[in-house]
Amino acid sequence: MGMHPAHAQAPMSASASINAGKRVLQGKRLRKPGARETRSLPMGPSFMVRRTRLLQDLVQQVSNAGIAVLCAPKGFGKTALLIQYVDEVASDPSRGYARLIDAEDSVLAELAVQLEEIMHECAQAVRPALAIDNLPVFSGKDADDFADLLRDLRQTGTELVIACTPASGEVVQKLGDAVKFGAQQLKV
C-alpha cells in the first residue's frame, strides 16, 4: 500500500472517473425510485455494542491492507462497527479525516462522483479513512469498475472499509486483496 504524499488532488483511474462522468452526463437516474436520502440506526448510537477487540483488529488490518470488507447478512452490526471505526479514526489527532457514506440504492456513477468529491475534500489529509455502508449489488463491468475505483483510492493512501451483504459477493470476490470480515467474526 503506497502512502500518498501531501497530494494536491487524488486522481481516480481514468476508466472509473470517465465512466462515472459519462453516466451522469447521459442523464441516467442517480438514485433508484423510492430511495431514502438519510438513514439512522433504529435505536440510536447509544444502543450500539462496542466491540473493542474487533474494532482494534479492523483498524490494524485496514491500515495494513488498505481495504477491508465487512460482509454479513443484515443485523450483524456492520453499520455500528463502521460508525465506531469512523469515530476512532476521526478522534486520532494524527489522522482526523474520516467519512461514512450510506450507499444504499446508489448506482455506480453516483457513488463514483461522491467518492471523487470526498477525495478532493480530504486531499491534504495524512491517511484519510472512508467507510461505505450498504454497498449495492454490482455485477459484471460495474463490479470490476468499483473494485478498480477502490484500489485507485487506496493508492492515494486512503483507507477504505466497505460493508455489504453476501448478495455483493461478486465485488467481494474481485477485492481478493482486501481483508475480509465475515458473519462469524462480526457476531456479538
Side-chain angles (χ1 to χ4, degrees):
M1 175 178 94
M3 290 293 163
H4 68 89
H7 56 84
Q9 294 190 358
M12 293 185 167
S13 74
S15 66
S17 187
I18 290 170
N19 286 340
K22 281 183 184 174
R23 290 181 185 148
V24 171
L25 292 175
Q26 289 171 352
K28 290 197 176 187
R29 182 181 303 136
L30 293 182
R31 281 215 174 262
K32 293 179 183 174
R36 293 178 289 171
E37 290 299 319
T38 59
R39 276 186 87 236
S40 61
L41 290 174
M43 292 191 237
S46 63
F47 288 89
M48 285 190 290
V49 174
R50 185 146 178 98
R51 296 174 281 178
T52 306
R53 185 171 295 162
L54 179 61
L55 179 60
Q56 290 170 345
D57 192 28
L58 175 62
V59 168
Q60 180 183 2
Q61 289 199 41
V62 77
S63 178
N64 294 332
I67 302 172
V69 178
L70 311 176
C71 186
K74 291 182 179 195
F76 274 74
K78 298 179 300 289
T79 299
L81 187 59
L82 285 180
I83 290 169
Q84 292 169 12
Y85 169 75
V86 167
D87 184 55
E88 183 80 14
V89 172
S91 66
D92 181 347
S94 68
R95 303 208 30 209
Y97 188 91
R99 185 87 179 264
L100 174 61
I101 297 172
D102 184 3
E104 186 173 38
D105 297 321
S106 295
V107 295
L108 181 59
E110 175 186 30
L111 196 51
V113 168
Q114 190 173 11
L115 292 174
E116 191 168 14
E117 289 171 358
I118 290 169
M119 293 317 298
H120 291 297
E121 268 179 39
C122 71
Q124 300 303 317
V126 177
R127 274 182 19 239
L130 185 55
I132 301 172
D133 197 16
N134 297 308
L135 184 70
V137 176
F138 294 133
S139 59
K141 183 164 175 21
D142 282 351
D144 287 330
D145 288 348
F146 184 71
D148 289 344
L149 177 59
L150 294 181
R151 287 189 184 99
D152 289 345
L153 291 171
R154 176 178 60 190
Q155 289 303 312
T156 70
T158 302
E159 292 178 1
L160 300 131
V161 182
I162 313 305
C164 64
T165 64
S168 295
E170 190 171 343
V171 169
V172 174
Q173 183 180 9
K174 293 189 183 296
L175 291 171
D177 54 342
V179 63
K180 314 284 190 316
F181 290 80
Q184 191 66 31
Q185 293 162 290
L186 295 171
K187 270 185 9 182
V188 177

